[in-house]
Amino acid sequence: MHYTRNLRGSLLGAASLMVLALPAAAQEVTVWSGYPELGPFYEHVAEGMNAKYPDLKVNVEPIALREHEKRVALGITSGLEGATVIELPGSTASRYVENDLLPVPPQDVVDFVKDPANFGPFFVDAASNNGQVYGVPLFRGQGALFYNTEMFEAAGLTEPPKTMEEYTEYAEKLTQRDADGNPTVSGWSLRLSGGGQGIAEKFWINMFQYGGNVLEQTADGKWKADYANEAGLKALRQYIDLVQTKKTVTVEMPADAEAFERGQTAMFIRESWVIGDIAAKAPDLKYATAPLPVGSIALPGNLYVAGDADDADIRAAWDFVLATNEPDNLVWLLANVGWLPNRSGVDYSSVTDSVPQFAAFVDYPEGYKFFTLPSIGPIEEVLTRLAAALSEAYADPSLAGDDDKIMAVLQRAEDETNAILEREGLLGE
Amino acid sequence: MNRRRRTDLLIDLGLGIFGLLMLTPLIMLVANAFKTPEEMLSWPPTLIPRDPTLDNLTSVLNETPLLSWIGNSLAFALLSTLAIVATSGIAGYIVAKFPFRTINIVFALFLATAIVPFEVYMIPLYFQVKQLGLLNTVPGLLVGYLVMSFGIFLIRQNVLASIPDELIEAARIDGGGEMWIFWHIVLPLLRGPLAALAVLAFFQAWTAFAWPMIVATKRSAYTIEVGLALFQTGYTVDLGRLSAASACVLVPSVLAFVLLRRNFVQGVAATGMKE
Amino acid sequence: MLRRRRWRFAVMALLPTFAIFAWVRLYPIVQTLNLSLHDWNLLSKNKPFVGLSNFIELFGDRLFLTALGNTAIIAFGVMLLTIPSAMVLAGLIHYRTRSRFAGFYETSVFIPHVVSLVPAAMAWKWIFDAKLGPLNALITRLGGEPQSWLFDPYLSVLCVIILCSWQALGYAVLIFLVGFRNLPTSVYEAARLDGASGIQSFRFLSVPLLKPITLYVSVVTLISGFNVYAQAFVLASDAQGAPGRLVRVLVLDMLENSFRNYRVGYAAAEAVILLVIVLVLTGAQFALLRERNGR
């Protein structure tokens, strides 16, 4: 008796499982993103595709950047199940393209990217390899100064700083201290610790204001490290001066967007997504943005499609990628997430007019310069190692006021960078 | 007599305080789950939320498939426990009671692999799972957690300590086959240590992180531990929500452990009660 | 004849377990050894043989040497902190087995070992936080100087050691408890009749009798100490509010080399060095205990 009942029960269970499993046979596309705040954007795009693809299921799976990089590396090399839209900076994608691991998009997608009305040559290049388009540009990381206007007012400052010397002066004036002179609110928040390459990227941005680049392309199309020089010295000296001598910021102080949102720092340099983050987490914060003295990083993020799936699913994935670049969706992206869309010819004014903080990212001065990370395989290794050397230097009080020692740190790191480039056959003359 | 009671009391007090200290970080984590974002930032930090809120909890439950992640973890942990208990039970008995040279070498090999950190061979193992087409599945997760060197060691120690050779010899003389002896004489005596091993194996799989992180790349295939790591975004860690999600997982698993602990301790104690 | 039959049974019974071991442990380990002699970027189809050059490069690699040093300090720190305290704790808990609270002692010490690592590490990160954390609040209350726990080069290593010990302690206590419960009670009875105090019988009976267990627990703790990764990773995670100083450890450096720098062969060479270190330490520990036992 009991047995039959159990048997019937489990048969029923199996049958209902099969019924549940059936709808999954419809089309499915997975989206891998390295920016959790972009999750809602991709969901929004997917909803907009309902009319054309009523049976399409889009799995949006954003995770933290470093874990994202890891799953992409493992997933692409060992084969992805199902059509997958992958978000990557062009500099990282080049590695996969060179090993034939990312397919060429359908012709209409290539045409869309190559149309000069859609994207400037900078973005097309970043999505291509040897002239062949592999991905579709979507957004870019571009830096600007964020500053707390109330703190500026309290310190008697009306204009944002315009030169790197002024950044130091401002940082001193803006730092708030307790009775013992220890800073409680940093004047200028700097990236001084943490893992990964972020420390080196931020250093590069500061050094760029002094006219330098961490890596320079040589005449033969290869690369060489170029920071053990005047620009590098000035940039690193400023960091050490602010941390060790002027103490406008300390290593352990809360830093970056969260500190800014909580009023724990007066200013810092960051990408446009902070605008969206502030709107969500600290809507009452009084702040403004300003372009950097010389120019900024511009790190384009593209979408690629990979995976073992039938043609219909792959097509649906590319249609999803195209849908992300529809004007309505791009305006939604800017308004709700804050990352800057790369497509030209779209009217973003409804957002930029109502959120004046976007102006520093969109209406930059004449002659404003941009740099990007070179599309070379070992770029992450180069920056991670530089980051390790820099974070050690920032915390070293013996470097304060000693240019020779600072230069020695830079020289040692530069030799290390060049050794990596040489190993990979990328070192230029 | 009186002095003895006083030392006992002192020991109890010391152990009690120490136990509470061990739990403090977790208690704080649960408390943080009910704090408002403002309170999370207040100085000095509070232990008990001044103004408890359920916002963190509801937003976590609404926005993440927490329950299906728990389901994945549960399936993975239970199957892993089963596999480890079965392999350790047999292997532990054999290496304890069959002193052949080959067997000893195999046992040494088992122990030696325990020395090799999992991360050392994780990547080649990943490619094996991939070849079998088991990525994003529970069997794929299981591949990394089928055997446990410590389990074999634990069972071996218990067999050596609690099953006298005479008992097995007597059964053999009575004409019992080797399989029959293992099943009817050895296994019942090992119930305690096997239960203890089961708890260890279960929690080992339940808390696994590095392996599920690479085998499960689809949101629907995540284990709870990987899902939790999602809250640690690259940009801002929302400690209130992270704490709420953690509490959702922590509280049931701690309760489960407290419940299992009874069997577990009785089992372990039973192995020592023979004398 | 009988011996032969028993041998055959033993082999047959052990075979499935051994097969699984070979498949999920031995084979991947051999693969790692093999990879360490090759140059492979995870993506390309060819893996040129490079001999020992990965190893030679490692010993000039500043980050690797830093990682090696940190890992060794952490592993030994955790062992030195955990093993003696676990033995004493297990002894006390065993002594108070009949206490109404025995269950609580055992559970409270063991729970940190079974909770998920990510949330536990997050809790500790908050505790250590220089500006918001309860630890500095306590120190200030007691009149001390607040410390930047996660940023100081020495304190940040100490933080990792504390976190790892907190997690490792429960396991060690559990194994010691099993050991205590398996000790022959008759010996203790005799010692008590001879007038030995509790501390004396702990020192002169338990400690030597538990030597095999101590050996095992020390090895396991040391190995898991060398394995430290997620703890250091979470404590220094890029969370913007308060990132910490990255305590570079071996596994972290290894994963970075394979998944960020795409140098799987190089990372495998690191893994092999990790393996050699652990093997040597284990061997030394065994030898040490055997020698003491022999004396």
Side-chain angles (χ1 to χ4, degrees):
Chain A
M1 266 308 277
H2 277 285
Y3 279 138
T4 41
R5 196 189 300 154
N6 280 345
L7 187 66
R8 200 183 307 145
S10 55
L11 276 176
L12 273 175
S16 59
L17 267 181
M18 273 160 67
V19 172
L20 279 177
L22 270 179
Q27 279 189 296
E28 203 171 332
V29 168
T30 301
V31 182
W32 277 3
S33 162
Y35 298 98
E37 70 271 22
L38 278 170
F41 167 69
Y42 293 119
E43 300 277 9
H44 177 79
V45 173
E47 274 165 36
M49 287 179 75
N50 268 343
K52 196 174 168 198
Y53 284 100
D55 290 336
L56 180 67
K57 186 167 171 259
V58 180
N59 306 311
V60 179
E61 303 189 344
I63 55 174
L65 191 55
R66 258 185 288 174
E67 304 306 335
H68 172 64
E69 287 167 354
K70 195 158 88 183
R71 75 173 168 187
V72 171
L74 281 170
I76 290 190
T77 47
S78 57
L80 289 158
E81 282 168 58
T84 311
V85 174
I86 301 171
E87 172 201 287
L88 283 176
S91 52
T92 308
S94 61
R95 204 187 264 280
Y96 302 116
V97 169
E98 281 159 15
N99 286 287
D100 293 329
L101 292 165
L102 284 173
V104 173
Q107 194 55 44
D108 62 312
V109 176
V110 173
D111 293 343
F112 172 78
V113 175
K114 282 200 156 167
D115 186 346
N118 289 335
F119 298 104
F122 173 81
F123 297 116
V124 180
D125 281 354
S128 312
N129 199 284
N130 286 327
Q132 170 65 54
V133 170
Y134 283 90
V136 175
L138 180 60
F139 65 91
R140 67 182 181 275
Q142 180 186 321
L145 178 74
F146 286 76
Y147 61 98
N148 185 313
T149 47
E150 285 177 342
M151 291 185 191
F152 266 53
E153 226 168 90
L157 301 165
T158 48
E159 296 272 298
K162 291 203 179 53
T163 62
M164 288 313 270
E165 290 70 31
E166 278 186 9
Y167 269 71
T168 300
E169 285 166 29
Y170 274 54
E172 282 190 270
K173 286 182 187 158
L174 288 163
T175 304
Q176 298 170 30
R177 299 174 192 275
D178 62 12
D180 305 329
N182 297 319
T184 51
V185 172
S186 59
W188 175 19
S189 176
L190 300 164
R191 175 68 75 90
L192 301 169
S193 70
Q197 63 191 53
I199 297 169
E201 269 177 38
K202 308 290 180 273
F203 175 79
W204 192 333
I205 295 174
N206 282 15
M207 185 180 159
F208 190 67
Q209 315 306 322
Y210 288 111
N213 271 308
V214 167
L215 294 175
E216 290 281 7
Q217 194 150 27
T218 52
D220 50 1
K222 294 183 172 181
W223 298 85
K224 79 182 198 336
D226 194 18
Y227 50 86
N229 55 22
E230 195 58 26
L233 176 67
K234 280 179 178 167
L236 184 52
R237 188 167 55 198
Q238 184 174 30
Y239 269 96
I240 290 167
D241 188 37
L242 290 173
V243 177
Q244 300 293 351
T245 315
K246 301 201 164 70
K247 296 200 195 303
T248 60
V249 59
T250 62
V251 182
E252 74 274 13
M253 288 182 92
D256 238 311
E258 262 187 30
F260 189 67
E261 286 159 8
R262 297 171 189 167
Q264 291 163 329
T265 186
M267 60 179 189
F268 77 124
I269 297 170
R270 208 63 168 112
E271 296 97 340
S272 58
W273 61 265
V274 174
I275 296 173
D277 205 54
I278 292 173
K281 293 181 186 157
D284 300 329
L285 190 72
K286 300 275 183 296
Y287 75 103
T289 58
L292 304 178
V294 172
S296 159
I297 191 172
L299 196 58
N302 307 321
L303 296 182
Y304 300 82
V305 171
D308 309 321
D310 57 39
D311 293 349
D313 275 14
I314 295 286
R315 183 65 238 182
W318 283 113
D319 281 344
F320 177 87
V321 171
L322 290 178
T324 59
N325 260 303
E326 277 166 18
D328 287 355
N329 286 333
L330 293 177
V331 171
W332 195 96
L333 169 68
L334 188 62
N336 293 283
V337 185
W339 281 103
L340 300 178
N342 291 341
R343 189 171 174 187
S344 26
V346 177
D347 182 14
Y348 301 111
S349 58
S350 64
V351 181
T352 48
D353 288 352
S354 61
V355 186
Q357 285 91 348
F358 277 115
F361 294 94
V362 191
D363 307 325
Y364 36 80
E366 194 85 5
Y368 200 59
K369 289 191 230 157
F370 289 100
F371 72 92
T372 192
L373 302 184
S375 296
I376 52 174
I379 183 68
E380 278 118 352
E381 188 177 356
V382 164
L383 292 179
T384 309
R385 280 175 185 270
L386 174 58
L390 287 173
S391 63
E392 216 173 276
Y394 298 155
D396 184 354
S398 77
L399 293 179
D402 191 340
D403 281 2
D404 290 343
K405 272 182 108 170
I406 295 177
M407 205 60 187
V409 168
L410 289 169
Q411 189 61 54
R412 199 161 73 134
E414 186 178 278
D415 292 345
E416 204 175 51
T417 304
N418 282 334
I420 297 169
L421 293 172
E422 188 171 18
R423 189 189 73 215
E424 303 285 327
L426 289 165
L427 185 64
E429 287 304 309
Chain B
M1 206 55 206
N2 218 343
R3 203 179 133 213
R4 180 158 177 185
R5 193 166 299 156
R6 207 179 315 138
T7 39
D8 283 3
L9 207 72
L10 240 101
I11 291 174
D12 273 342
L13 197 70
L15 285 173
I17 291 173
F18 189 83
L20 279 178
L21 273 178
M22 288 294 282
L23 294 180
T24 308
L26 301 173
I27 295 167
M28 285 174 165
L29 189 74
V30 174
N32 283 351
F34 298 98
K35 287 184 186 172
T36 57
E38 294 75 44
E39 194 176 351
M40 282 300 320
L41 299 177
S42 63
W43 179 264
T46 49
L47 276 187
I48 300 153
R50 243 180 284 131
D51 181 17
T53 169
L54 287 175
D55 287 357
N56 296 322
L57 213 62
T58 47
S59 83
V60 161
L61 284 174
N62 286 335
E63 287 164 30
T64 56
L66 211 61
L67 292 178
S68 78
W69 291 342
I70 291 178
N72 290 339
S73 281
L74 216 56
F76 167 45
L78 285 175
L79 288 171
S80 159
T81 305
L82 205 67
I84 287 174
V85 166
T87 52
S88 303
I90 295 183
Y93 167 63
I94 300 286
V95 295
K97 290 294 178 193
F98 293 79
F100 297 104
R101 178 177 294 219
T102 338
I103 304 287
N104 285 338
I105 292 172
V106 169
F107 176 57
L109 213 57
F110 285 167
L111 279 192
T113 60
I115 294 166
V116 187
F118 186 65
E119 277 76 7
V120 166
Y121 55 86
M122 194 167 74
I123 295 164
L125 194 61
Y126 167 86
F127 284 104
Q128 264 171 287
V129 172
K130 162 65 198 158
Q131 248 169 14
L132 294 169
L134 292 178
L135 291 182
N136 286 314
T137 64
V138 171
L141 288 173
L142 211 52
V143 168
Y145 287 80
L146 283 171
V147 282
M148 189 189 202
S149 299
F150 168 72
I152 297 174
F153 178 81
L154 183 83
I155 299 305
R156 172 182 175 268
Q157 297 303 89
N158 273 283
V159 170
L160 287 179
S162 61
I163 302 178
D165 286 344
E166 297 79 28
L167 188 67
I168 297 171
E169 278 310 322
R172 282 192 185 124
I173 289 163
D174 287 348
E178 294 293 343
M179 203 56 221
W180 187 91
I181 293 172
F182 175 69
W183 197 255
H184 288 97
I185 294 179
V186 176
L187 265 194
L189 287 171
L190 288 178
R191 219 174 275 154
L194 284 174
L197 178 62
V199 175
L200 273 182
F202 181 87
F203 280 94
Q204 174 188 272
W206 180 261
T207 57
F209 179 64
W211 178 244
M213 190 80 214
I214 63 171
V215 173
T217 52
K218 282 191 179 166
R219 198 178 162 88
S220 57
Y222 287 156
T223 62
I224 186 63
E225 185 83 330
V226 175
L228 276 182
L230 271 177
F231 284 90
Q232 273 216 82
T233 73
Y235 287 126
T236 44
V237 170
D238 191 338
L239 196 53
R241 285 180 48 195
L242 179 69
S243 307
S246 308
C248 285
V249 184
L250 218 60
V251 172
S253 73
V254 166
L255 282 181
F257 177 75
V258 171
L259 286 176
L260 286 167
R261 195 197 62 89
R262 285 194 160 275
N263 304 350
F264 177 52
V265 172
Q266 274 167 6
V268 175
T271 63
M273 257 158 58
K274 195 181 65 37
E275 269 95 3
Chain C
M1 190 53 203
L2 199 70
R3 204 181 136 78
R4 229 190 126 70
R5 215 174 61 203
R6 276 162 60 185
W7 189 79
R8 205 180 310 142
F9 168 75
V11 169
M12 292 303 286
L14 207 53
L15 206 60
T17 308
F18 182 72
I20 296 173
F21 250 93
W23 173 44
V24 302
R25 295 274 187 278
L26 297 181
Y27 176 74
I29 291 170
V30 171
Q31 278 281 83
T32 301
L33 294 177
N34 184 34
L35 273 175
S36 72
L37 303 175
H38 292 79
D39 185 15
W40 185 37
N41 68 2
L42 194 71
L43 309 176
S44 81
K45 291 193 172 63
N46 41 346
K47 308 174 193 171
F49 180 81
V50 294
L52 292 177
S53 77
N54 282 331
F55 292 92
I56 294 163
E57 194 186 333
L58 270 179
F59 283 101
D61 182 337
R62 215 155 43 85
L63 291 190
F64 166 73
L65 295 175
T66 313
L68 192 64
N70 283 337
T71 312
I73 292 168
I74 291 167
F76 281 100
V78 172
M79 187 181 78
L80 291 177
L81 203 63
T82 309
I83 301 303
S85 40
M87 200 185 223
V88 172
L89 272 172
L92 290 176
I93 293 174
H94 178 65
Y95 174 74
R96 297 295 298 145
T97 298
R98 285 200 201 89
S99 157
R100 200 166 353 145
F101 306 107
F104 169 76
Y105 305 148
E106 220 178 284
T107 315
S108 61
V109 172
F110 197 66
I111 277 179
H113 188 72
V114 300
V115 297
S116 309
L117 193 133
V118 175
M122 285 308 299
W124 278 98
K125 192 179 160 86
W126 181 67
I127 288 173
F128 287 134
D129 193 291
K131 297 285 169 187
L132 302 168
L135 183 60
N136 269 350
L138 186 74
I139 290 174
T140 329
R141 174 76 53 88
L142 297 176
E145 194 63 16
Q147 301 290 321
S148 46
W149 293 98
L150 295 168
F151 298 91
D152 184 273
Y154 299 104
L155 292 181
S156 53
V157 175
L158 184 68
C159 288
V160 178
I161 294 179
I162 293 174
L163 171 54
C164 293
S165 304
W166 177 72
Q167 290 189 302
L169 189 67
Y171 183 76
V173 167
L174 174 92
I175 304 302
F176 273 123
L177 267 177
V178 174
F180 271 109
R181 281 168 191 160
N182 283 332
L183 290 180
T185 41
S186 50
V187 184
Y188 285 88
E189 286 297 325
R192 209 156 54 99
L193 291 178
D194 285 347
S197 73
I199 295 172
Q200 277 172 332
S201 50
F202 178 80
R203 170 72 189 79
F204 295 107
L205 283 176
S206 309
V207 173
L209 282 173
L210 287 172
K211 213 164 253 179
I213 302 268
T214 312
L215 165 73
Y216 181 78
V217 182
S218 310
V219 173
V220 169
T221 309
L222 200 61
I223 290 164
S224 65
F226 267 93
N227 240 332
V228 53
Y229 160 58
Q231 294 89 342
F233 180 80
V234 177
L235 286 184
S237 66
D238 257 346
Q240 289 210 351
R245 179 178 172 276
L246 182 70
V247 178
R248 186 168 286 274
V249 291
L250 272 183
V251 174
L252 189 130
D253 199 53
M254 214 158 81
L255 290 178
E256 207 167 85
N257 270 324
S258 38
F259 297 120
R260 282 180 74 78
N261 304 341
Y262 301 80
R263 305 188 67 201
V264 181
Y266 192 64
E270 253 179 287
V272 170
I273 290 180
L274 173 59
L275 181 56
V276 170
I277 293 169
V278 175
L279 282 176
V280 167
L281 288 173
T282 314
Q285 218 161 1
F286 269 104
L288 202 74
L289 262 124
R290 187 160 300 164
E291 186 190 309
R292 278 223 198 127
N293 276 347
R295 204 169 48 187

